[in-house]
Amino acid sequence: MAEQKLTGIYFCDTGNGHAKDIDINEIKTYLQTLREVVSVWEPKELDLTNFEETKKKLENLKIERMIIAGQTPGVFKAFFARALNANGKNGEEVVLASFKEHLVVNTQQAKTILTCAFYGVSFTLAAMPEETEVHPDTLVIGGGIAGIQASLEIADAGQKVYLLEKTGTIGGHMAMFDKTFPTLDCAACILTPKMVEVGQHANIEMLTYSEVKSVSGGPGNYKVKVLKKARRVNVNTCIGCGTCAEKCPGRASSEFDAGTTMRKAIYIPFAQAVPNKYLIDEDACLYVKKGKCSACVKVCPVPDCINLDEKDAEIEITVGNIIVSTGFKPFDAKRAEQFGYGRFPNVVTSLELERLINAGGPTSGEITFRSKDKFGNWVFTADSESPKSVAIVHCVGSRDEHYNKYCSTVCCMYSLKLAHLVKEKLPETEVHEYYIDMRAFGKGYEEFYNRIKDEGINVVRGSTVKVEEEDGKLLVKSQDIHGLKLLKQHVDMVVLAVGLEPREETKDLSQILGVSTTEDGWFKELSSVTDPVNTNVGGVAVAGVCHGPKDIPDTVAQASAAASRVIQSIIQGKIKKSVKDMRFEEVAAKAKQQS
Amino acid sequence: MTTRVDPGFMKKVKGLGDQNMEMCFNCSKCTAICPMDTNLLPRSLFRYALLGMTDKIKAEQESIYSCLLCKLCEESCPRGVKIADNVRLLRSYLNRDVFNI
Ligand SMILES: Cc1cc2nc3c(=O)[nH]c(=O)nc-3n(C[C@H](O)[C@H](O)[C@H](O)COP(=O)(O)OP(=O)(O)OC[C@H]3O[C@@H](n4cnc5c(N)ncnc54)[C@H](O)[C@@H]3O)c2cc1C
Ligand code: SF4
Ligand code: SF4
Ligand code: SF4
Ligand code: SF4
Ligand code: SF4
């Protein structure tokens, strides 16, 4: 500090008052240890309706500078400026310490902000974590559209990326869709070329069927142990002919087809999978479980391609940055028992309907009823009948205190999309859609909503409370809020617009990486307002739905932003350490030093 | 017909009992499950109360008294609205301000 000015401090409690974890007394005691601070007032100690009295108090204490702290300190700026002016001091000497702006929630943070205000140093400068050297390689965890986008951007900038994916292929949920809202673009036409590009990119090393085991080191230099699960099929030599699967007796429900059909124990997740190679599901393979079969090995035309005894392997990689893009899992519709999923065969989830509509799906694009196969599994086949009426129920598992309180943001729009696609495939079929509020928030979305309403789809404002079975049909109970009518609609098929949930592994991954999560379990960004991609851990960014529900356009935008942070740090050769590791004393010392 | 609203209505009934009508986000699950099969119970009544449409509340006395307080609706409510308590509050209002008991 160039000159030392006698300072008064005022705590306002406007806005939401002080957060419950802010201990004003502790802060006061601390502030009084600063030599130039002559008084610290709370609202009850200073009557701001009485200008003369306050001005006198400032005058008596010879105050030359005021710091106003709290949620919205700006409100009082003019008042104190006038008081200082009236005392012949400089009215410019009013400093704001805004808790709201800096997302202050506890005493330590409040003290830090006030210290920076006291030394006249900007918080963002004082709290700038130190920088350290950065390893130029990057790890992207999760190969959905978020991870694909981020990997391509970094790789195109000439830097090495490891793209680690848990399943046997990249692609994530987007690969399962037929069309995407609001443009009704063919999902595969956008995604497949990107997947192929990832597979062929010289700067991208894919680690599919792999998991992060542990992470050590720090920002700029992480050592990551990766568990490479045994595929039991050699990715380099397998020609993807599928002869093995034809003979394989092991069966499991297909993840890619959202359980609408069965696949073999040796399988390729879907036709456009990248890598386009087979793998063995050890939980379904009779050799792994009982040591009994080896049919695949016998018929495979490539020598030594299948190794039924292959073991999991572990490798270690070193990276400077990590992007987490692990996506979501759909809400388990069985939890909302009132809708009968699992009890009534033709109550289906939105994801199942996506697969039915898709030409590459279990029914080659026919929307049909669920039926039992010869092994007794419930599946969909093209030769089953089609529904004459369909109801789509919004907000399943979302905006509900029994499940998740948040809005999943994409299900209003994908429901409209599905309604359109059902109508397109089955023009004679009635489609009813029941919603609470229509969240058509994005670019072109309201227009899309209006278009759907014009297509003869019965879009009803009013939530569905229950689905029952009556006379061989499904009975959907709702109220039409606008028409004030109680509705008991008989339909052939009910589609549940299930919400998005954090995946179970998010907890483990957040512990391995040290990244905080929100109460709902999504990864937490550094600042929801100004920094939506970095996290509290230096060199770890988030992208896509693992950070909270969002649609594909927003996912892609965030992935590009995360990639640009990584590229920025590589170009500079430096990366910031973790904000979470900075202590109050450190910031305070830096503020003092910089003043 | 014009509808009159009384913005002070919720304040006036505040002392009559516990209520949390403002938690209601107007989804209508409660009305759809209610065994009384009326269009008014209970969602619409809460709208009238929150807006202070006292004429409507008086006109719908019958609905207000027909509620069985069975709480079937509460089980379905996604917002934890204490529906039975809220209906009781409207009854207390009618008792006090309309029937003067
Ligand atoms: C039924 C339905 C329809 C939809 N329709 C549309 C639409 O039309 N338009 C639109 O814009 N949006 C739509 N969405 C939303 C869309 O699905 C998401 O915005 C998008 O998939 C998010 O991509 P992501 O990469 O973040 O996550 P995901 O697609 O979930 O990908 C995550 C990837 O990470 C992998 N992974 C997970 N955990 C780990 C781990 N621990 N280690 C390694 N890998 C891991 C997963 O296997 C997966 O490959 C729809 C959603 C649903 C449910
Ligand atoms: S038979 Fe052999 S080469 Fe052909 S898909 Fe199966 S594992 Fe690959
Ligand atoms: S060994 Fe396993 S994967 Fe191969 S054919 Fe038999 S069950 Fe299928
Ligand atoms: S996006 Fe629509 S359907 Fe999905 S939770 Fe939000 S309001 Fe409900
Ligand atoms: S179910 Fe609850 S939130 Fe929905 S309208 Fe009824 S009281 Fe309101
Ligand atoms: S408590 Fe009243 S409003 Fe609720 S379901 Fe029972 S009768 Fe209907």
Side-chain angles (χ1 to χ4, degrees):
Chain A
M1 231 178 330
E3 340 151 44
Q4 295 172 345
K5 296 197 184 78
L6 297 183
T7 302
I9 297 178
Y10 177 70
F11 275 100
C12 68
D13 59 1
T14 52
N16 299 326
H18 297 300
K20 60 177 184 336
D21 294 333
I22 298 181
D23 180 349
I24 296 291
N25 288 328
E26 187 189 327
I27 300 174
K28 268 172 121 172
T29 314
Y30 159 71
L31 289 171
Q32 275 148 356
T33 65
L34 299 169
R35 200 152 47 90
E36 294 79 17
V37 174
V38 290
S39 188
V40 185
W41 291 290
E42 287 180 63
K44 56 177 190 262
E45 296 160 337
L46 209 55
D47 180 7
L48 296 197
T49 56
N50 190 336
F51 178 75
E52 278 309 315
E53 193 190 296
T54 307
K55 172 193 151 319
K56 264 262 143 53
K57 280 191 178 168
L58 264 58
E59 190 174 21
N60 291 342
L61 290 165
K62 301 199 173 60
I63 285 177
E64 302 166 288
R65 188 171 75 136
M66 278 300 300
I67 296 175
I68 315 170
Q71 293 295 332
T72 50
V75 177
F76 307 99
K77 189 171 183 182
F79 179 89
F80 285 109
R82 193 151 66 95
L84 287 174
N85 279 331
N87 286 338
K89 311 284 186 212
N90 183 0
E92 303 277 299
E93 293 284 350
V94 182
V95 187
L96 305 180
S98 168
F99 292 175
K100 197 177 204 166
E101 185 182 329
H102 298 292
L103 310 168
V104 168
V105 293
N106 61 37
T107 309
Q108 286 295 304
Q109 293 167 337
K111 270 162 76 175
T112 315
I113 297 293
L114 269 153
T115 309
C116 292
F118 177 78
Y119 289 113
V121 174
S122 128
F123 170 75
T124 13
L125 285 182
M128 186 84 86
E130 278 181 16
E131 292 187 326
T132 172
E133 305 242 311
V134 65
H135 191 285
D137 296 355
T138 303
L139 169 66
V140 176
I141 308 173
I145 180 63
I148 290 175
Q149 180 74 18
S151 300
L152 284 175
E153 301 230 6
I154 299 168
D156 282 346
Q159 303 300 330
K160 160 117 191 177
V161 180
Y162 297 96
L163 175 53
L164 183 145
E165 164 61 44
K166 195 175 173 168
T167 68
T169 177
I170 58 171
H173 284 98
M174 187 178 171
M176 300 165 78
F177 310 151
D178 186 55
K179 302 265 168 60
T180 60
F181 64 74
T183 46
L184 297 174
D185 282 314
C186 146
C189 310
I190 305 172
L191 187 64
T192 314
K194 280 186 191 274
M195 288 168 60
V196 172
E197 204 183 329
V198 167
Q200 295 175 346
H201 210 298
N203 290 333
I204 300 179
E205 184 173 333
M206 277 196 299
L207 302 166
T208 50
Y209 214 42
S210 298
E211 281 168 36
V212 174
K213 265 198 92 176
S214 65
V215 175
S216 58
N221 192 6
Y222 286 111
K223 301 258 184 280
V224 183
K225 284 216 170 82
V226 177
L227 175 75
K228 291 189 82 173
K229 287 180 285 181
R231 267 185 101 99
R232 294 185 164 85
V233 174
N234 187 332
V235 236
N236 299 320
T237 58
C238 169
I239 53 169
C241 65
T243 319
C244 50
E246 274 169 34
K247 291 279 178 288
C248 172
R251 305 182 125 243
S253 134
S254 157
E255 296 84 0
F256 177 73
D257 279 323
T260 53
T261 183
M262 302 298 284
R263 61 157 171 79
K264 295 296 178 70
I266 188 162
Y267 71 108
I268 187 159
F270 56 103
Q272 296 79 22
V274 172
N276 208 256
K277 310 284 165 155
Y278 278 65
L279 70 153
I280 291 177
D281 171 359
E282 57 178 37
D283 294 330
C285 170
L286 304 182
Y287 175 84
V288 180
K289 280 190 359 203
K290 300 182 188 154
K292 259 193 186 147
C293 166
S294 61
C296 51
V297 182
K298 288 191 192 111
V299 294
C300 176
V302 182
D304 301 328
C305 177
I306 301 175
N307 173 4
L308 291 173
D309 294 314
E310 188 188 325
K311 295 275 167 293
D312 294 351
E314 206 177 281
I315 58 164
E316 189 180 86
I317 55 174
T318 304
V319 294
N321 284 284
I322 296 173
I323 295 177
V324 186
S325 50
T326 48
F328 64 97
K329 69 170 165 59
F331 173 79
D332 175 7
K334 283 206 184 92
R335 283 173 61 199
E337 284 175 22
Q338 64 274 28
F339 299 129
Y341 183 80
R343 268 185 295 139
F344 309 140
N346 292 310
V347 174
V348 308
T349 67
S350 47
L351 221 52
E352 288 173 331
L353 183 61
E354 291 277 359
R355 293 311 302 145
L356 294 191
I357 289 170
N358 190 272
T363 56
S364 308
E366 303 288 331
I367 303 166
T368 58
F369 292 136
R370 210 191 298 258
S371 55
K372 274 195 177 166
D373 69 7
K374 60 178 181 210
F375 303 101
N377 302 306
W378 281 105
V379 292
F380 288 86
T381 51
D383 51 21
S384 183
E385 258 182 83
S386 293
K388 301 247 173 338
S389 50
V390 174
I392 302 178
V393 174
H394 280 222
C395 296
V396 175
S398 313
R399 302 182 70 195
D400 192 325
E401 292 192 348
H402 301 96
Y403 318 107
N404 296 312
K405 285 192 202 164
Y406 54 83
C407 163
S408 294
T409 74
V410 296
C411 16
C412 272
M413 288 306 293
Y414 80 52
S415 294
L416 291 172
K417 170 187 78 175
L418 291 171
H420 165 88
L421 294 172
V422 170
K423 204 74 190 162
E424 192 177 72
K425 298 249 170 196
L426 304 168
E428 302 303 321
T429 294
E430 279 175 28
V431 183
H432 308 273
E433 189 163 337
Y434 301 97
Y435 71 96
I436 304 178
D437 300 291
M438 189 57 81
R439 301 208 155 151
F441 59 93
K443 189 177 179 184
Y445 291 10
E446 184 71 10
E447 291 82 344
F448 185 69
Y449 173 33
N450 287 327
R451 171 179 162 190
I452 300 305
K453 279 194 288 190
D454 289 342
E455 287 177 357
I457 288 151
N458 180 25
V459 192
V460 181
R461 169 128 205 243
S463 185
T464 299
V465 68
K466 212 170 179 183
V467 175
E468 290 169 2
E469 217 170 23
E470 194 177 271
D471 306 332
K473 287 226 171 199
L474 294 164
L475 178 70
V476 180
K477 288 188 168 174
S478 322
Q479 186 198 20
D480 172 356
I481 291 182
H482 291 318
L484 269 193
K485 270 191 301 223
L486 285 170
L487 300 176
K488 295 196 168 106
Q489 185 75 50
H490 284 95
V491 294
D492 295 334
M493 184 181 266
V494 172
V495 181
L496 303 179
V498 290
L500 276 42
E501 278 191 342
R503 301 175 57 105
E504 282 94 1
E505 317 94 293
T506 310
K507 267 201 207 102
D508 299 338
L509 202 54
S510 91
Q511 265 168 17
I512 290 175
L513 294 166
V515 174
S516 339
T517 53
T518 63
E519 248 174 64
D520 297 321
W522 305 107
F523 286 112
K524 202 166 169 180
E525 69 283 36
L526 200 51
S527 155
S528 57
V529 184
T530 54
D531 196 341
V533 292
N534 284 328
T535 65
N536 58 329
V537 180
V540 179
V542 285
V545 177
C546 67
H547 152 266
K550 54 178 73 66
D551 55 19
I552 295 165
D554 284 358
T555 293
V556 170
Q558 196 186 21
S560 297
S564 85
R565 292 297 167 89
V566 169
I567 297 166
Q568 188 184 42
S569 80
I570 298 171
I571 291 174
Q572 290 179 340
K574 297 224 173 294
I575 191 166
K576 292 192 185 76
K577 287 188 180 164
S578 302
V579 172
K580 77 174 167 80
D581 297 335
M582 292 192 70
R583 287 168 312 126
F584 157 72
E585 287 77 11
E586 216 174 297
V587 182
K590 274 171 88 185
K592 198 167 173 179
Q593 194 183 19
Q594 288 174 14
S595 69
Chain B
M1 200 192 83
T2 52
T3 308
R4 285 234 301 273
V5 299
D6 173 6
F9 179 80
M10 290 308 286
K11 273 212 183 100
K12 280 184 203 154
V13 296
K14 211 172 173 184
L16 289 174
D18 240 9
Q19 72 86 25
N20 68 346
M21 281 184 234
E22 66 289 333
M23 287 295 289
C24 166
F25 69 3
N26 204 23
C27 73
S28 81
K29 281 192 201 285
C30 50
T31 310
I33 197 97
C34 174
M36 298 309 291
D37 262 357
T38 76
N39 263 306
L40 293 152
L41 267 180
R43 180 189 65 80
S44 295
L45 298 177
F46 300 162
R47 300 266 94 54
Y48 298 155
L50 290 165
L51 287 164
M53 293 162 76
T54 44
D55 294 347
K56 281 279 194 188
I57 295 174
K58 286 173 197 160
E60 298 306 340
Q61 285 168 26
E62 217 173 296
S63 297
I64 296 175
Y65 282 99
S66 71
C67 167
L68 307 169
L69 304 178
C70 69
K71 298 198 182 186
L72 206 59
C73 50
E74 276 184 30
E75 278 170 33
S76 305
C77 176
R79 295 278 292 166
V81 178
K82 293 183 250 165
I83 299 179
D85 284 350
N86 297 347
V87 172
R88 273 201 203 97
L89 181 97
L90 293 178
R91 287 184 185 174
S92 304
Y93 159 75
L94 288 173
N95 290 347
R96 187 186 68 180
D97 291 33
V98 181
F99 307 123
N100 298 316
I101 14 179

